[in-house]
């Protein structure tokens, strides 16, 4: 199952990056329930192992294109976003003092935090509108 999750993640993200035509410096927000990936109810079977497979497949693809990842935490952390400090700096997002854990933030956000070089959490309310694309000039395209 692990190899197929990694392969599926790569295929989906490659398709998404092509369809969205994301440019260097833009941000891709991903919310991921590893419980649901495993076929269970959301929040019921959090898996650091599955999160690791997904993140391992995801980060190199985004890095190759210079696209920032924003990993959405669960409701226990008010859906904060985990981003690289460079993304927060570029877009003027104020970091908040929190570190995700598997049962408080989610396995996906925790794994992203652990694997990023300089991770910070930011409040999603300060990051623009949902469904928009932010570019380097801080313009918003709908």
């Amino acid at each position: 199952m692990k190899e197929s999750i990694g392969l599926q993640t790569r295929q989906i993200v490659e398709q998404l990056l092509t369809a969205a035509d994301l440019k260097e410096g833009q941000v891709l927000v991903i919310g991921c329930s590893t419980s649901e990936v495993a076929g269970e109810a959301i929040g019921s079977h959090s898996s650091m192992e599955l999160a690791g497979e997904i993140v391992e497949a995801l980060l190199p693809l985004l890095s190759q294109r210079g696209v920032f990842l924003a990993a959405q935490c669960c409701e226990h952390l008010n859906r904060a976003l985990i981003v690289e400090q460079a993304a927060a700096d570029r877009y003027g997002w104020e970091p908040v003092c929190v570190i995700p854990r598997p049962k408080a933030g989610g396995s996906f956000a925790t794994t992203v935090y652990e694997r990023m070089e300089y991770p910070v959490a930011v409040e999603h309310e300060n990051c623009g509108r949902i469904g928009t694309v932010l570019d380097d000039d801080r313009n918003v395209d709908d």
Side-chain angles (χ1 to χ4, degrees):
M1 182 173 171
K2 287 189 291 185
E3 288 180 11
S4 67
I5 293 298
L7 178 60
Q8 289 176 27
T9 299
R10 280 188 294 282
Q11 291 171 340
I12 290 167
V13 171
E14 286 171 350
Q15 291 174 11
L16 176 62
L17 290 172
T18 299
D21 193 29
L22 292 178
K23 306 285 190 259
E24 184 174 343
Q26 291 183 316
V27 180
L28 176 63
V29 179
I30 297 180
C32 176
S33 166
T34 57
S35 297
E36 289 186 306
V37 170
E40 304 293 338
I42 191 168
S44 66
H45 289 81
S46 188
S47 170
M48 291 292 288
E49 183 178 349
L50 273 178
E53 293 297 319
I54 294 166
V55 172
E56 186 176 304
L58 177 65
L59 287 179
L61 293 174
L62 297 180
S63 178
Q64 289 170 358
R65 292 197 185 205
V67 172
F68 291 114
L69 172 62
Q72 185 181 32
C73 295
C74 72
E75 70 277 5
H76 296 103
L77 291 185
N78 199 29
R79 306 225 184 273
L81 299 174
I82 305 303
V83 299
E84 286 284 3
Q85 179 70 55
D89 291 346
R90 172 177 260 155
Y91 290 105
W93 299 333
E94 185 70 28
V96 295
C97 190
V98 67
I99 297 173
R101 305 305 321 144
K103 298 291 183 185
S107 292
F108 177 71
T110 299
T111 302
V112 168
Y113 189 94
E114 291 173 350
R115 297 197 184 176
M116 282 185 165
E117 191 170 354
Y118 297 106
V120 295
V122 297
E123 291 182 286
H124 65 85
E125 289 91 355
N126 299 325
C127 296
R129 299 176 304 196
I130 300 296
T132 61
V133 175
L134 297 173
D135 67 23
D136 292 342
D137 296 323
R138 297 183 50 95
N139 294 327
V140 180
D141 299 6
D142 290 321

